[in-house]
Amino acid sequence: MNSRTKYFLLLWLCLWFASAPMLGHAEANLEVNTPAITSIKQRMQSRHAELVEYYNSGAIGLTQDGMITVRDASAVSLAKRQQVNSLVSVENQDRSALYREIARANNHPEWESKIQSTFGQRWIDLARKGWWYQTGGRWMQK
């Protein structure tokens, strides 16, 4: 299975495993799909192939808030640092947009922060061995 397929499955697992009780009494449909959500997921899926190299090297890591960040810039050559920073920025923009669109599609925009934190934990839970993630403000390696 190639890394794009794995990422796509990871994204769907995150949507599937995220539980509605965390959001309150109403049940959220985290598998909801709209044209905006589809577009965001497609962009994330195609970008993932570029990000895997940097996850694997430890240059980037997952944060508890459902985002990614540059963890160790020295793990990236000087020539590629701007590219990595740009990839991280665009990925985080799409992640924010995904959380917002899922909340909107459920007619509960106030759920955005809870959806984001739920995804943050799911991304960490499903990260590959060797990838870095933040917990309690500290970096840990899976």
Side-chain angles (χ1 to χ4, degrees), residues 12-30:
W12 282 109
L13 283 171
C14 285
L15 289 169
W16 188 76
F17 279 117
S19 60
M22 299 176 102
L23 298 173
H25 297 352
E27 290 196 22
N29 178 2
L30 297 176

Side-chain angles (χ1 to χ4, degrees), residues 53-118:
E53 169 188 353
Y54 304 113
Y55 284 120
N56 290 341
S57 73
I60 63 174
L62 301 161
T63 63
Q64 285 181 287
D65 66 353
M67 300 297 178
I68 64 173
T69 192
V70 175
R71 187 192 73 79
D72 182 4
S74 68
V76 180
S77 70
L78 223 53
K80 289 189 173 185
R81 285 187 190 166
Q82 182 57 43
Q83 176 190 8
V84 171
N85 287 328
S86 293
L87 282 169
V88 166
S89 176
V90 173
E91 177 70 10
N92 285 337
Q93 288 172 13
D94 277 344
R95 286 175 179 235
S96 289
L98 178 65
Y99 308 143
R100 183 175 49 254
E101 289 301 321
I102 291 171
R104 283 183 187 166
N106 277 279
N107 294 316
H108 284 282
E110 71 277 9
W111 287 353
E112 182 180 340
S113 64
K114 195 60 179 170
I115 289 169
Q116 181 173 343
S117 65
T118 299

